[in-house]
Amino acid sequence: MMVSPTPLQAFSGIQKTSSNKQPVVSGEKMTGAQALIRTLEDLGVKDVFGIPGGAILPVYHEIHDETKFRFVLMRHEQAAGHAAEGYAVATGRVGVCIVTSGPGATNMVTPIADANMDSVPLVVITGQVGVDAIGTDAFQEADTVGITYPVVKHSYLITDAQDIPRVLAEAHYIARTGRPGPVVVDITKTAQTGNLYYSWPQKLLLPGYNPTTKPHGNVLHEAVKLFKHSYRPVLYVGGGAVRSNAGTQVKELADLTDSPIVTTLPARGIVADSDPKVLGMLGMHGTVAATAATQKCDLLVAIGARFDDRVTGKMEAFAPAARVIHIDIDPAEIGKRREPDVPIVGDVSEVLDALNTEIKEEQALNGKPNLESWWAQINAWREAYPMKYDETTPDGTLSPQWVVEELSRQAAPSTIWASGVGQHQMWASQLINFENQHSWISSGGLGTMGFGLPAAIGARVGSARDFGGKKPVWLIDGDGSFQMTSEELATAFIDNAPVKIAILNNSVYGMVRQWQTLFYDKHYSQTNIRDGENNENIINVPDFVKLAEAYGCVGIKATTQEEAKAAIKRANEINDRPVLIDFRVYKDAMVWPMVAAGQSNDTVVYKPGVQPLLNGDGTEGRDADSTQAATQR
């Protein structure tokens, strides 16, 4: 079987001869490195994240005090990528990173993959060895384009200085248009040190790249017909709606059609939680009302959503009676997991603007369906199965759910929330009151532990840039997730990014432990991350308060509700440096509701022994089964 070479392997097989290109002589003469900095400035880039290294040093040499963008020096390349993601989500701008070749570039693979899964616009600039050294296993050489090829939207290898302005302009355009995503620009040292003639603006050479943004009229007519005949509609809203800044249009559609709104994890806050039509998140750890409404609907309108397995559960049992309208700017997503009755390719905002107009015209002539019985059922689910938890714990530690709710109670409405990955992420999504879109930053598709702190730093940089720092940033993290990138406390302190950090410290890898409890006979293999559990002489490893103080931050420990309330109040009052609160929480707290992986959403467990949708009317929970049997059904 013949295997195609990666782009860099193919390049290294070409005989290296002098270029036959005719030199461009119009414009200002400068080096490739100077042109890179100038291009970023001309693109309007305001903030850049990264770490220098040998193969990118010519570029860093051109960053000066008068450079028009701010450079944020991170402590790890992976963190630079996550910070750029947080910045992009919080501001709507393209996140930009500059790192070196080899390990610098390979450390960027995780944030590139993360951004690709969550459709976050990034331009990742990596250094590369000189053209003559490519393919020789030179020091810190790696095939960056080949390594990242499966997880980027597009990628470039630049060998000629004259290509730098055009390629960067193209990369920036590709990253932010269509379905947003990461673009890698790998620049050889040869191109960085070579000369070119700089001019602006650049003509983009992108044959075949024409994202569809406006919907076709025929599919809109078909969608209106489905709404006209639907008596149990649901708007299933995903991260694509957030990327399209479509919160206003989603709310208008919900109000026009009287449809409930359920969201994926990335779409929390797309419409304010205080809106009575918002049922919350659906799926594996969604609300019973959101999951039940989706299962029982007769029309499912997927808006910038991709039918992720954590949402759908067993795919063939997902919303089994529903006709489907699927709206997405990426045609590859439509029909990938569920064949729609009406496929609509286009930018969510533009599609909904046009769809809402047509629905208004239809309703002016024929009115709209009476959905009173549908809402009576939905409200019955909401009343019977609200988000509840035990506020007291067997060992006297804090309830992690209570901590999250208290953080939300004391927070300013403009707060931007970030999270790591794990139980704390689910509790944050379930229990925080989100009132604004672009106020929630979390790793969804890839589920990257360690995402939280650098993403919060990026969001805080963006808050300072676009909102005068008036949007505070709170990070809710777990002790396991936080330790993967805790070195970025140095960045937060030195670069004046006063994030506020809540660590739900249960001394275990909580979500893995939950699965071990439910599905692996309570065999807690390698999930206890604090040795003090088995050795009383070893405790507080690490001591998060001392760790925070070592990095110049404020550290606070809270073990009671009174201490927690006071700590949160104090953190909200401190705005000149980062604050970390170590909340000691119960290690065996569980995230409920839950649908076991691969099971139908009809098996959702509200709490141990209670499976609402296995009853005929879905309003009285079944209580005969044990937790183990309920989650393994």
Side-chain angles (χ1 to χ4, degrees):
M1 179 179 177
M2 181 174 290
V3 178
S4 299
T6 67
L8 198 54
Q9 289 169 338
F11 173 82
S12 64
I14 299 174
Q15 184 176 0
K16 299 175 178 65
T17 59
S18 59
S19 172
N20 292 322
K21 286 185 179 181
Q22 293 298 315
V24 179
V25 294
S26 62
E28 181 183 350
K29 186 176 182 180
M30 62 181 67
T31 67
Q34 291 170 326
L36 188 151
I37 302 302
R38 178 75 69 84
T39 303
L40 293 179
E41 292 176 333
D42 285 341
L43 285 168
V45 172
K46 300 297 183 184
D47 301 278
V48 175
F49 305 86
I51 297 177
I56 198 69
L57 268 182
V59 170
Y60 275 84
H61 183 63
E62 300 302 333
I63 298 176
H64 303 286
D65 290 343
E66 61 270 21
T67 299
K68 294 179 182 178
F69 58 78
R70 176 189 180 194
F71 186 85
V72 180
L73 177 63
M74 306 298 291
R75 297 305 184 266
H76 193 281
E77 289 89 356
Q78 179 181 344
H82 294 322
E85 287 186 89
Y87 178 87
V89 174
T91 65
R93 299 173 182 268
V94 175
V96 179
C97 312
I98 305 176
V99 299
T100 193
S101 65
T106 58
N107 282 342
M108 282 294 305
V109 173
T110 297
I112 290 169
D114 192 276
N116 192 57
M117 289 283 276
D118 287 353
S119 302
V120 178
L122 292 187
V123 172
V124 179
I125 300 167
T126 59
Q128 185 55 269
V129 299
V131 169
D132 291 339
I134 289 178
T136 68
D137 291 331
F139 178 67
Q140 292 193 334
E141 180 191 0
D143 182 358
T144 302
V145 171
I147 290 168
T148 60
Y149 195 77
V151 292
V152 294
K153 183 177 180 182
H154 196 59
S155 53
Y156 294 90
L157 171 64
I158 300 180
T159 61
D160 189 313
Q162 191 64 53
D163 293 333
I164 288 176
R166 173 186 58 80
V167 167
L168 283 177
E170 289 178 4
H172 196 269
Y173 177 76
I174 293 170
R176 73 178 190 273
T177 57
R179 178 178 181 171
V183 180
V184 168
V185 182
D186 197 31
I187 307 181
T188 62
K189 207 164 185 179
T190 307
Q192 296 172 49
T193 57
N195 291 319
L196 73 152
Y197 291 88
Y198 184 86
S199 62
W200 193 262
Q202 288 285 311
K203 181 179 180 180
L204 308 186
L205 304 178
L206 297 171
Y209 181 69
N210 297 296
T212 299
T213 59
K214 296 185 181 300
H216 194 280
N218 288 342
V219 292
L220 292 178
H221 298 326
E222 295 301 314
V224 172
K225 287 180 184 178
L226 291 187
F227 271 109
K228 179 180 177 181
H229 298 292
S230 169
Y231 290 87
R232 299 190 310 276
V234 165
L235 306 185
Y236 155 42
V237 185
V242 178
R243 301 293 175 264
S244 183
N245 199 35
T248 299
Q249 290 89 340
V250 170
K251 176 171 171 50
E252 183 181 14
L253 178 61
D255 290 340
L256 280 172
T257 61
D258 209 19
S259 300
I261 298 168
V262 303
T263 76
T264 64
L265 177 72
R268 296 291 289 118
I270 183 75
V271 175
D273 282 345
S274 56
D275 190 303
K277 289 188 173 64
V278 175
L279 306 186
M281 185 174 69
L282 81 159
M284 179 173 280
H285 292 298
T287 68
V288 168
T291 300
T294 306
Q295 286 300 98
K296 305 300 182 183
C297 71
D298 64 7
L299 177 62
L300 184 66
V301 187
I303 304 173
R306 56 187 178 85
F307 292 86
D308 178 75
D309 61 288
R310 286 300 192 256
V311 164
T312 66
K314 187 177 181 180
M315 188 64 212
E316 48 270 38
F318 179 64
R323 306 290 293 275
V324 175
I325 300 170
H326 193 173
I327 303 168
D328 205 291
I329 198 165
D330 184 357
E333 288 297 342
I334 294 181
K336 186 171 77 175
R337 301 204 69 219
R338 174 76 173 256
E339 194 66 34
D341 297 276
V342 179
I344 306 178
V345 178
D347 179 80
V348 168
S349 292
E350 294 194 34
V351 170
L352 293 186
D353 279 334
L355 180 60
N356 289 340
T357 297
E358 296 224 4
I359 289 174
K360 289 176 188 176
E361 293 173 357
E362 165 62 28
Q363 291 179 350
L365 294 174
N366 301 308
K368 58 183 180 180
N370 186 331
L371 304 186
E372 287 184 7
S373 62
W374 181 223
W375 275 103
Q377 175 65 85
I378 289 170
N379 289 329
W381 284 321
R382 284 209 276 206
E383 183 177 350
Y385 306 108
M387 279 295 174
K388 294 179 69 176
Y389 58 88
D390 293 328
E391 193 169 315
T392 59
T393 62
D395 63 358
T397 54
L398 290 165
S399 160
Q401 298 98 318
W402 178 87
V403 172
V404 172
E405 279 204 318
E406 185 62 27
L407 287 165
S408 182
R409 276 191 290 266
Q410 292 199 36
S414 61
T415 298
I416 298 172
W417 299 91
S419 83
V421 169
Q423 288 180 311
H424 63 275
Q425 177 188 31
M426 296 298 102
W427 287 319
S429 175
Q430 292 175 341
L431 298 168
I432 290 172
N433 289 319
F434 294 100
E435 292 299 305
N436 302 290
Q437 58 180 335
H438 311 300
S439 62
W440 169 240
I441 302 169
S442 192
S443 173
L446 200 63
T448 306
M449 291 179 69
F451 173 90
L453 179 56
I457 292 170
R460 191 60 180 78
V461 171
S463 174
R465 171 67 61 192
D466 287 355
F467 312 112
K470 294 180 181 178
K471 290 189 175 184
V473 177
W474 265 104
L475 166 64
I476 297 178
D477 216 339
D479 50 322
S481 189
F482 181 78
Q483 288 183 74
M484 293 191 174
T485 50
S486 61
E487 78 287 339
E488 300 307 321
L489 285 172
T491 305
F493 175 75
I494 292 173
D495 275 82
N496 191 31
V499 296
K500 305 172 195 305
I501 303 162
I503 297 180
L504 304 187
N505 184 359
N506 57 10
S507 300
V508 298
Y509 290 122
M511 187 61 82
V512 182
R513 183 182 179 91
Q514 176 164 334
W515 281 48
Q516 288 173 333
T517 299
L518 298 175
F519 311 121
Y520 293 92
D521 302 320
K522 298 185 180 180
H523 174 48
Y524 301 121
S525 176
Q526 309 308 318
T527 48
N528 295 323
I529 57 176
R530 183 171 140 227
D531 291 337
E533 183 165 330
N534 299 315
N535 185 343
E536 294 182 358
N537 295 320
I538 303 175
I539 58 173
N540 298 333
V541 180
D543 183 325
F544 286 110
V545 171
K546 289 182 179 178
L547 182 68
E549 292 171 347
Y551 281 110
C553 309
V554 175
I556 310 170
K557 181 178 176 181
T559 60
T560 67
Q561 288 191 0
E562 291 71 25
E563 290 177 350
K565 289 177 181 178
I568 295 168
K569 182 176 184 295
R570 183 183 172 199
N572 282 325
E573 294 170 347
I574 297 174
N575 294 302
D576 63 343
R577 64 189 59 213
V579 182
L580 181 154
I581 308 175
D582 177 7
F583 295 99
R584 296 304 176 93
V585 301
Y586 181 44
K587 69 181 178 183
D588 281 315
M590 295 273 194
V591 182
W592 303 109
M594 181 178 180
V595 178
Q599 299 299 303
S600 166
N601 282 355
D602 284 331
T603 66
V604 59
V605 180
Y606 174 59
K607 61 182 180 180
V610 179
Q611 292 180 275
L613 299 189
L614 293 185
N615 283 347
D617 62 2
T619 57
E620 292 184 6
R622 141 182 198 144
D623 58 10
D625 296 334
S626 67
T627 303
Q628 183 83 359
T631 52
Q632 290 186 325
R633 184 175 303 279

